[in-house]
């Protein structure tokens, strides 16, 4: 596949909507929010529409009324300059209004999202601003000691359970179980534009691993075809059962076994339980 610069930010916005979809009715999310008539814009602004409705997702627990999010793609690092740029965005956003305190400074939060732990930045914040880092678990760090509540999200550390699609926005997905799971999850939502946008980006970012996975699937199907011919010589049912046991032990995905063998998932699961 021809190498092109990947557009991570639109897919990140889509993945964020997916992650917060259960509570998106309480949030207003604006991407590439323009701070002025000149080309100065934040990555994402999330406005919490109802003050008294708590956001249950862990990445949103810090949210107040106005929530600014800075996203760094996997190849980029979060630098000291990035921090002050985004902090400046918050100040401009608060002040660039028609009325005094139209945006209450106490209702602002900042979220920084990156793929690598920004050690140099956090050391600087500790020394220069007295801001400490407090780990909340699951790839979420609170930056404590500033009037504006801030958090840091490390994408590869985010939990699968709550943040599956955000956590999958990486370039190092592994062929095999990880990509097979990704395909199964996408299959459930393939008609959604947001899921399609995220999946397209992830596929492009992990093209080599995806190709490996495809070749493995094609090879398994070819092997099944050969095994089925041999199964006819033994008696199709017995031979097919032996074939399925062999491929289950080899780690073949049940979906592929189902397509190649003609058995139902329940029948394959029953064989799998027998050999455990």
């Amino acid at each position: 596949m021809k190498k092109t610069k990947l557009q991570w930010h639109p897919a990140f916005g889509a993945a964020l909507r997916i992650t917060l979809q259960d509570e998106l009715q309480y949030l207003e999310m604006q991407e590439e929010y323009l701070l002025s008539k000149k080309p100065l814009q934040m990555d994402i602004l999330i406005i919490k529409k109802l003050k008294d409705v708590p956001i249950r997702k862990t990445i949103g627990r810090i949210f107040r009324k106005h929530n600014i999010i800075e996203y760094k793609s996997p190849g980029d690092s979060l630098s000291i300059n990035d921090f002050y740029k985004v902090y400046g965005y918050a100040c401009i956003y608060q002040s660039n209004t028609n009325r005094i305190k139209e945006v209450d400074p106490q209702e602002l939060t900042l979220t920084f999202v990156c793929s690598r732990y920004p050690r140099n930045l956090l050391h600087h914040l500790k020394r220069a601003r007295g801001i400490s880092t407090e780990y909340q678990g699951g790839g979420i760090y609170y930056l404590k000691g500033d009037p504006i509540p801030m958090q840091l999200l490390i994408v590869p550390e985010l939990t699968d359970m709550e943040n599956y699609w955000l956590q999958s926005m990486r370039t190092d997905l592994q062929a095999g179980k990880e990509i097979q799971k990704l395909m199964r999850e996408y299959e459930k939502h393939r008609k959604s534009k947001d899921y399609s946008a995220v999946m397209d980006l992830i596929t492009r970012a992990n093209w080599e691993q995806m190709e490996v996975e495809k070749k493995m699937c094609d090879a398994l199907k070819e092997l099944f075809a050969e095994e089925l011919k041999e199964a006819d010589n033994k008696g199709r049912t017995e031979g097919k059962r032996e074939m399925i046991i062999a491929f289950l032990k080899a780690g073949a995905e049940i979906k592929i076994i189902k397509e190649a063998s003609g058995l139902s998932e329940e029948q394959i699961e029953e064989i799998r339980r027998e050999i455990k």
Side-chain angles (χ1 to χ4, degrees):
M1 183 178 178
K2 193 174 181 179
K3 291 244 179 182
T4 56
K5 184 172 174 60
L6 298 174
Q7 299 300 314
W8 288 86
H9 286 77
F12 173 73
L16 198 59
R17 284 193 295 274
I18 291 168
T19 303
L20 297 169
Q21 61 185 326
D22 293 340
E23 296 158 312
L24 208 55
Q25 60 183 313
Y26 306 120
L27 304 168
E28 178 188 337
M29 181 169 143
Q30 301 178 37
E31 297 183 52
E32 297 185 340
Y33 182 86
L34 292 175
L35 284 168
S36 66
K37 293 180 180 179
K38 294 181 180 180
L40 182 65
Q41 61 189 33
M42 304 180 290
D43 284 345
I44 288 178
L45 172 69
I46 292 180
I47 297 175
K48 190 166 179 279
K49 293 187 283 188
L50 298 177
K51 183 175 182 179
D52 297 330
V53 176
I55 303 302
R56 294 188 297 272
K57 285 290 178 72
T58 52
I59 67 166
R61 287 178 184 170
I62 198 174
F63 286 176
R64 295 188 179 178
K65 175 72 173 176
H66 306 274
N67 308 281
I68 297 167
I69 299 179
E70 170 75 1
Y71 171 69
K72 308 299 289 185
S73 55
D76 295 332
S77 58
L78 183 64
S79 70
I80 294 170
N81 281 7
D82 290 325
F83 172 84
Y84 285 103
K85 175 191 72 174
V86 178
Y87 202 95
Y89 286 168
C91 295
I92 293 170
Y93 175 70
Q94 191 283 325
S95 61
N96 191 28
T97 57
N98 294 323
R99 294 181 287 107
I100 299 297
K101 284 187 67 176
E102 185 175 328
V103 173
D104 190 335
Q106 294 182 315
E107 291 295 323
L108 279 167
T109 75
L110 296 178
T111 295
F112 300 89
V113 185
C114 59
S115 293
R116 297 192 294 272
Y117 189 77
R119 202 169 304 279
N120 289 341
L121 168 61
L122 298 180
H123 284 167
H124 166 80
L125 293 178
K126 180 68 175 176
R127 292 194 309 269
R129 298 174 63 100
I131 295 174
S132 60
T133 306
E134 187 177 286
Y135 187 51
Q136 303 296 305
I140 300 173
Y141 300 79
Y142 283 176
L143 306 181
K144 310 281 280 189
D146 190 271
I148 299 178
M150 295 182 285
Q151 67 176 346
L152 170 68
L153 309 181
I154 307 298
V155 171
E157 298 179 16
L158 294 174
T159 59
D160 274 359
M161 186 175 295
E162 276 203 359
N163 308 292
Y164 178 75
W165 288 95
L166 285 175
Q167 193 269 346
S168 296
M169 290 189 63
R170 314 192 318 266
T171 60
D172 60 351
L173 296 182
Q174 299 299 307
K177 290 184 177 180
E178 194 166 22
I179 286 180
Q180 288 168 14
K181 179 181 178 182
L182 178 73
M183 291 175 174
R184 287 195 301 272
E185 292 298 320
Y186 175 63
E187 190 67 27
K188 302 173 187 176
H189 309 283
R190 61 184 309 156
K191 294 182 180 179
S192 163
K193 290 183 180 179
D194 280 345
Y195 282 90
S196 294
V198 178
M199 187 65 177
D200 179 69
L201 186 281
I202 294 172
T203 299
R204 291 171 180 272
N206 295 273
W207 187 254
E208 290 182 7
Q209 300 95 302
M210 290 288 188
E211 282 289 284
V212 169
E213 185 65 28
K214 181 179 182 300
K215 287 175 182 176
M216 286 173 61
C217 292
D218 291 343
L220 280 173
K221 288 178 181 178
E222 287 179 16
L223 287 170
F224 271 124
E226 292 175 9
E227 290 287 336
L228 281 171
K229 288 179 184 177
E230 292 183 15
D232 280 329
N233 298 330
K234 296 182 178 180
R236 197 166 181 82
T237 303
E238 180 188 350
K240 187 183 288 187
R241 187 176 184 282
E242 290 178 7
M243 173 192 70
I244 289 170
I245 290 173
F247 283 104
L248 282 170
K249 287 182 177 179
E253 190 180 1
I254 288 178
K255 182 180 178 182
I256 298 171
I257 298 174
K258 177 186 173 184
E259 290 176 2
S261 68
L263 295 182
S264 67
E265 288 188 15
E266 291 76 15
Q267 290 172 308
I268 298 168
E269 278 290 345
E270 185 177 346
I271 295 172
R272 185 178 66 81
R273 286 195 294 271
E274 288 176 12
I275 64 175
K276 273 192 171 181

